[in-house]
Amino acid sequence: MSGAKPQAQHGPASDAAAGQAGPSWRDSVPEASAADLENLMGTGLGAAQEQLQRNGGFLPFALVVQNDGEVRLMAVTPADATEGSDGDFDAEAMISDLTELLRQNRDDFRAAAVVCDITLVEEDSDAIHVAAEHRDGSVFAAVLPYSANQTTREWDFGPLAADTNEPAIWVG
């Protein structure tokens, strides 16, 4: 599986998400919203890690918390994964398509997250990126760096760190 990964200038928004002491992002978010965002974050990271372990990579996907509280996965098909393309895909286009799909269906759920594989330019590392937002305007994003361990043939994961994020689904 190959494709152009989005690149990010990583800038931690809060040390609290990485397990550091100090003010937490939760302090400014209603409890129910924080629970939804944390549920999406944990589910998204777990699903991405599982896909990495199983397939060596993963395509961008979305998770939503429906109005009844059920978590569902949403995905789009890569537009340019054609016969003979060797599995190349445009991750940016897929993320854009996912965001548009979420915007069009946002009345059906109360929170959503987009999960994708990015390259952290400054750290020269790959990472799982989860950007979650709630219909009440709460947002939270995090990155989980990873690398292949050639000795164990497993994935090594770095520390989870908060990242900045702007609303993309409940806008306008």
Side-chain angles (χ1 to χ4, degrees):
M1 179 175 316
S2 63
K5 289 184 188 180
Q7 296 186 350
Q9 300 290 332
H10 173 60
S14 163
D15 290 335
Q20 307 290 323
S24 170
W25 67 276
R26 286 180 124 269
D27 295 342
S28 62
V29 176
E31 183 61 34
S33 301
D36 283 342
L37 295 177
E38 287 177 340
N39 187 3
L40 290 173
M41 188 71 53
T43 303
L45 288 169
Q49 286 175 303
E50 185 177 315
Q51 289 297 310
L52 273 173
Q53 301 285 13
R54 187 179 304 151
N55 304 319
F58 65 96
L59 296 173
F61 63 93
L63 295 167
V64 298
V65 177
Q66 295 185 165
N67 292 324
D68 64 4
E70 183 180 338
V71 175
R72 298 199 51 197
L73 180 113
M74 296 177 79
V76 295
T77 304
D80 50 358
T82 57
E83 283 296 315
S85 70
D86 204 22
D88 284 347
F89 62 93
D90 182 347
E92 292 282 356
M94 289 183 71
I95 293 166
S96 178
D97 290 348
L98 278 168
T99 302
E100 186 56 34
L101 179 65
L102 292 170
R103 276 190 198 126
Q104 291 172 5
N105 295 288
R106 65 186 177 193
D107 291 340
D108 297 335
F109 49 86
R110 61 187 191 220
V114 174
V115 184
C116 61
D117 194 359
I118 64 170
T119 299
L120 299 174
V121 178
E122 292 176 14
E123 289 85 352
D124 191 28
S125 171
D126 292 321
I128 300 167
H129 186 266
V130 182
E133 70 181 271
H134 200 277
R135 71 163 48 134
D136 71 5
S138 304
V139 295
F140 185 68
V143 292
L144 182 65
Y146 70 87
S147 61
N149 184 321
Q150 300 303 326
T151 306
T152 64
R153 297 184 182 264
E154 297 281 325
W155 295 99
D156 290 336
F157 294 95
L160 182 65
D163 198 19
T164 56
N165 190 43
E166 295 293 323
I169 299 160
W170 284 276
V171 291

